Amino acid sequence: MGFKPVKVGICGLGTVGSGTFNVLQRNQEEISRRAGRVIRVEQIGARRPNPLADTNGTQIVADVFAVARNPEIDVVVELIGGCDVARELVLEAIENGKHVVTANKALIAVHGNEIFEAAQRKNVMVAFEASVAGGIPIVKAIREGLAANSINWVAGIINGTGNFILTEMRDKGRAFEDVLAEAQQLGYAEADPTFDVEGIDAAHKLTILASLAFGVPLQFSKAYTEGISKITADDVNYAEQLGYRIKHLGITRRTDAGIELRVHPTLIPEKRLIANVDGVMNAVLVDADAVGPTLYYGAGAGAEPTASAVIADLVDVVRTLTADRDNRVPHLAFHPSRLSDLPMLPMEEVETAYYLRLQAAENPGVLAEITRILADQQISIDAIMQHGTDDQLVPIIILTHVVKEVRMNAAIKAIEALETISGEVTRIRVEILDAN
Amino acid sequence: MGFKPVKVGICGLGTVGSGTFNVLQRNQEEISRRAGRVIRVEQIGARRPNPLADTNGTQIVADVFAVARNPEIDVVVELIGGCDVARELVLEAIENGKHVVTANKALIAVHGNEIFEAAQRKNVMVAFEASVAGGIPIVKAIREGLAANSINWVAGIINGTGNFILTEMRDKGRAFEDVLAEAQQLGYAEADPTFDVEGIDAAHKLTILASLAFGVPLQFSKAYTEGISKITADDVNYAEQLGYRIKHLGITRRTDAGIELRVHPTLIPEKRLIANVDGVMNAVLVDADAVGPTLYYGAGAGAEPTASAVIADLVDVVRTLTADRDNRVPHLAFHPSRLSDLPMLPMEEVETAYYLRLQAAENPGVLAEITRILADQQISIDAIMQHGTDDQLVPIIILTHVVKEVRMNAAIKAIEALETISGEVTRIRVEILDAN
């Protein structure tokens, strides 16, 4: 216990920066009893103080790069967000021999390969637990807790805003736009909600999870991303009648042909524990060969949950300060010289089951036409539901068995070309999420 | 990556020993890509080979102590179970400078303080992830993942047999004895089911969780333990009508007066995620000040799930081989010189809500008598349910608000002394499990 305090520089004093500062102060004694030494915030890089954090007595500099160059600082905590400045800042900190902790999912997903290579060269750690699922220690769980396993797949509710919207749509029968407006008022969703509801934020996190699970380089550009803005209250209802819930899932799965990497609305059986994760909460379900399914649940965002992960990383960094580099936990779980070159699978090659909703004219031949098209594409039907209505258009719901996406694309194109079908076919993928 | 293979000796080749051997063989390449070096089983200590594991080519010695003395062995994996021989074996391995990995919850809960002190003296690690909740990396989550937090409480379904029995009772209306007999046939429950259904196994695990969460020495003898053998199908039904499920929970909570450490059947709201953890699965819910509630779910027992945790520990041990001792993760999460002396709270001092079921004679004054007794003990009533019946005895169900156990004991004693009350009062504690 004869170690000197570790000196930390926090860059960015917004919500997460303030939360990190506050938790470090409040739990200082308990954290040092665990870490074996004091973790002290030596300097903060921020344009101005934040009333959310009582930073009196801590030096604040306006230039975050001054923190990365400060010879007194051992660890730089990057909490400014965004990609461009954050990338420069992190690379400069590494170049100066400093360890880095970041909560920045976009930065890691897009520039992680470059950053980890630089860190490897300079013998420093870049820790990023807070970048995926906020306070849930999912990076640690996959990278260390499941180290014995060959992982089959990972499926996660990793965007709280999207899950809040889908939960409200189901619980209260509300429309997507209506709940989104409320989420924006509550501060869950950004003014520009695209990152959340179109699945980009989730795809950043999923990209990181895929690399940790399968030992492949980060490949954000290969992710398939589909948002929840087209889900209707009707779909939520029909799903429920069939025993399913609709969740916006990030799914990554290893197959012999390659790795699936996809974010989209998904029907999952209501009996699955993850189907019952509601509101803004996150959860990640991992299926692995030895342990089977494990699930990790908690707050995926917010000042103090994210701070919890940032500080856990700080403690980890502190602990490895005396460790030989090659004995440290590798950034992407697998040693950099032993990553896999398994390709990412294009969406057309992915195999999954489907929920289809279509509007058909009242016409005795229409079901025959549809089922013929599906049969031509070798798509077999699991369930079919035709709802009575007073309208001239009858909604038809079809659940299919597993088939390759390229075949389903062809079938949908053919169905939409039928004269008896009105508008576009709604297609939502279905995952049973049972153990392999 | 220039390290030599790490040489492991496995003591005990039963279910878990065979599973550990098999997973190490099957996933050898993937594990070494993560760990940075090969983990090789050098020797097995077992009376005889086990057909479940293809140990051809691996040296098997009948005397497990020979493994602990083998100068070639770096890490001894103790999987023989029980307390006496296991304790001697682990202490001898430590004395010989070997690191130890164990899945033995009884050993850690009862002899952990002595073992960790010896390990500290000899500068070796004793890792025990597999001792709590099987394959769920809960020790790592609490000890490292939540290191930033002041933990409020931990509540876990940490005995799969008990959870299987309660799930069957609820789903199928079966009686306790009936399901227990099936669990024994299925191999879930031991021939002597006491450890499982009376909560001793859960109390071992809870004792470990409490020390990790609150930084106190292991104190198994202070645990309050109550089994599920008195739960009836009626209780399960009434609980459901009131919006609750009955789970056999281990609960440890930090209060100003001391630490609660208790295993007992518990009513929890059916909406909680942990209320939906069914069958033999385990889950641990942790409430902490920064991150809020987090939950960890997975298989709590079985050959390969337990092996998953044993091998994760092996990888951790391998990684810390070059680390300074004081920079390692402390055995009980907090540095041994900085443990807390917060006392364990006797059960009489615990505050909780209650479900009471009593059989009253059809008598207009009986409710007045009961509510008077509760009022005398300052116990306020949350809900009351009196079921019509053709019998002369009417079942009365009462949910109370939170009160100190000592007051409830007095109230129950007074109620049982009433002439209008038949037999004993059934008392099941109620926990809402909301965030602090």
Side-chain angles (χ1 to χ4, degrees), chain A residues 109 113 207-208 211 216-223 259 261 340-344:
Chain A
N113 298 325
T207 299
I208 299 171
S211 288
V216 291
L218 296 150
Q219 292 163 73
F220 171 68
S221 64
K222 305 278 180 64
I259 292 169
L261 188 65
S340 159
D341 58 2
L342 203 60
M344 294 290 166

Side-chain angles (χ1 to χ4, degrees), chain A residues 1 26-27 30 33-34 140 144 147-149 289 294-295 297 308 319 322 324 326-327 335 338, chain B residues 1 26-27 32-34 140 144 147-149 254 289 294-295 297 308 319 322 324 326-327 335 338:
Chain A
M1 302 280 292
R26 186 175 77 229
N27 292 345
E30 200 154 343
R33 283 170 58 206
R34 291 192 180 98
K140 183 174 283 286
E144 304 172 40
N149 292 265
D289 71 338
T294 54
L295 178 135
Y297 162 93
S308 171
R319 285 201 174 120
T322 64
D324 187 299
D326 285 331
N327 252 4
H335 275 258
R338 301 191 67 185
Chain B
M1 304 281 292
R26 187 175 74 229
N27 291 345
S32 74
R33 283 171 58 208
R34 292 192 180 97
K140 182 175 283 287
E144 304 172 39
N149 292 266
R254 172 158 51 184
D289 70 337
T294 53
L295 178 135
Y297 162 92
S308 171
R319 284 198 176 122
T322 64
D324 188 299
D326 286 331
N327 252 6
H335 274 257
R338 300 189 69 185

Side-chain angles (χ1 to χ4, degrees), chain A residues 264-327:
Chain A
H264 52 67
T266 316
L267 267 73
I268 54 178
E270 65 187 2
K271 283 209 68 166
R272 295 276 176 268
L273 203 59
I274 195 171
N276 295 282
V277 171
D278 287 333
V280 295
M281 300 304 276
N282 284 17
V284 180
L285 177 59
V286 183
D287 186 56
D289 71 338
V291 73
T294 54
L295 178 135
Y296 310 84
Y297 162 93
E304 294 213 352
T306 310
S308 171
V310 167
I311 297 168
D313 272 350
L314 276 172
V315 174
D316 272 358
V317 169
V318 166
R319 285 201 174 120
T320 54
L321 289 181
T322 64
D324 187 299
R325 172 177 54 187
D326 285 331
N327 252 4

Side-chain angles (χ1 to χ4, degrees), chain B residues 226 230-232 234-235 238 246 265 267 354-359 396-398 408 412 415-416 421-429:
Chain B
E226 186 180 309
K230 287 178 184 164
I231 302 291
T232 66
D234 281 347
D235 293 319
Y238 294 139
I246 301 178
L267 268 74
Y354 295 85
Y355 157 103
L356 303 177
R357 177 169 57 82
L358 28 99
Q359 308 276 355
I396 299 175
I397 314 299
I398 300 171
M408 182 52 75
I412 288 175
I415 293 172
E416 286 177 343
I421 296 297
S422 164
E424 291 187 356
V425 173
T426 296
R427 165 242 308 266
I428 308 177
R429 296 167 190 89

Side-chain angles (χ1 to χ4, degrees), chain A residues 134-316:
Chain A
I136 306 173
I138 184 65
V139 171
K140 183 174 283 286
I142 293 181
R143 208 161 63 164
E144 304 172 40
L146 304 185
N149 292 265
S150 178
I151 293 175
N152 300 312
W153 51 261
V154 180
I157 296 172
I158 45 182
N159 180 276
T161 307
N163 202 45
F164 172 77
I165 293 173
L166 289 173
T167 302
E168 287 288 303
M169 287 175 71
R170 186 179 73 86
D171 282 0
K172 301 174 186 158
R174 298 170 65 188
F176 171 80
E177 296 76 15
D178 179 29
V179 190
L180 175 59
E182 187 196 340
Q184 286 173 311
Q185 274 185 336
L186 288 172
Y188 295 160
E190 307 291 329
D192 173 2
T194 317
F195 262 49
D196 288 326
V197 302
E198 295 306 332
I200 300 162
D201 174 74
H204 284 143
K205 297 166 184 167
L206 184 70
T207 299
I208 299 171
L209 291 174
S211 288
L212 297 174
F214 306 124
V216 291
L218 296 150
Q219 292 163 73
F220 171 68
S221 64
K222 305 278 180 64
Y224 172 83
T225 305
E226 186 180 308
I228 55 170
S229 54
K230 288 179 186 164
I231 302 291
T232 67
D234 280 347
D235 292 320
V236 173
N237 261 331
Y238 294 139
E240 190 134 19
Q241 289 173 40
L242 293 159
Y244 292 85
R245 299 224 172 123
I246 301 179
K247 292 290 181 189
H248 200 193
L249 289 191
I251 299 170
T252 181
R253 186 191 312 260
R254 172 159 51 184
T255 74
D256 291 341
I259 292 169
E260 301 175 4
L261 188 65
R262 48 193 173 105
V263 175
H264 52 67
T266 316
L267 267 73
I268 54 178
E270 65 187 2
K271 283 209 68 166
R272 295 276 176 268
L273 203 59
I274 195 171
N276 295 282
V277 171
D278 287 333
V280 295
M281 300 304 276
N282 284 17
V284 180
L285 177 59
V286 183
D287 186 56
D289 71 338
V291 73
T294 54
L295 178 135
Y296 310 84
Y297 162 93
E304 294 213 352
T306 310
S308 171
V310 167
I311 297 168
D313 272 350
L314 276 172
V315 174
D316 272 358

